Amino acid sequence: KYPDFAQGGFGWVTDLTAPDPFIILPIAAGASLLAVLESALVGRRALMEPKQYQIQLGVQRICCFSLVPMLVGLKYPAGVFVYWIANNLCSATTVFIFNNPAVRSKLNLPPLTGPAASPFLAGNVTGTP
């Protein structure tokens, strides 16, 4: 259907329309998704109760590396995983940049400390300050 993807590729993946024969890309996609989720969670850690943070961290890890997504994903073409990994790496980079206090200060963004940074944690569920 897409001959350019069947002839392109890199390393061990010579056909992007076929599944990864060594299951490296599905694992890398799960790891890159976990990097995005954990980096975003670290940025919100000051806003959460310690118990809530630990539970959410555990749930994220289980979801990223449970067998169900891995087994379902084994049949996906390698090109899908290349896209997911690239997208996750861009997302993780964005999260790391915007979690940096110096960057937030330069862009006049509020700091990520304390419950006042989130109207939802302060009991204001409408989202208005």
Side-chain angles (χ1 to χ4, degrees):
K1 194 171 184 177
Y2 298 100
D4 292 342
F5 289 128
Q7 296 172 358
F10 61 92
W12 71 97
V13 181
T14 56
D15 181 359
L16 294 173
T17 63
D20 179 3
F22 298 108
I23 313 171
I24 295 171
L25 291 175
I27 293 170
S32 65
L33 176 62
L34 185 63
V36 171
L37 294 174
E38 287 200 13
S39 62
L41 187 61
V42 166
R44 296 187 321 258
R45 186 174 188 173
L47 306 174
M48 305 172 86
E49 295 290 329
K51 182 77 171 169
Q52 179 188 8
Y53 175 80
Q54 289 299 324
I55 291 171
Q56 191 167 349
L57 187 63
V59 168
Q60 286 178 182
R61 289 177 178 172
I62 290 169
C63 290
C64 287
F65 290 107
S66 67
L67 289 178
V68 174
M70 292 295 290
L71 293 176
V72 170
L74 292 179
K75 297 182 186 228
Y76 290 169
V80 172
F81 288 109
V82 171
Y83 169 77
W84 282 344
I85 293 166
N87 189 26
N88 286 340
L89 293 177
C90 289
S91 297
T93 302
T94 303
V95 170
F96 281 123
I97 289 171
F98 283 104
N99 280 348
N100 184 322
V103 171
R104 295 187 71 79
S105 174
K106 289 275 187 196
L107 296 175
N108 293 324
L109 296 173
L112 292 174
T113 56
S118 173
F120 295 101
L121 291 176
N124 184 0
V125 294
T126 62
T128 57

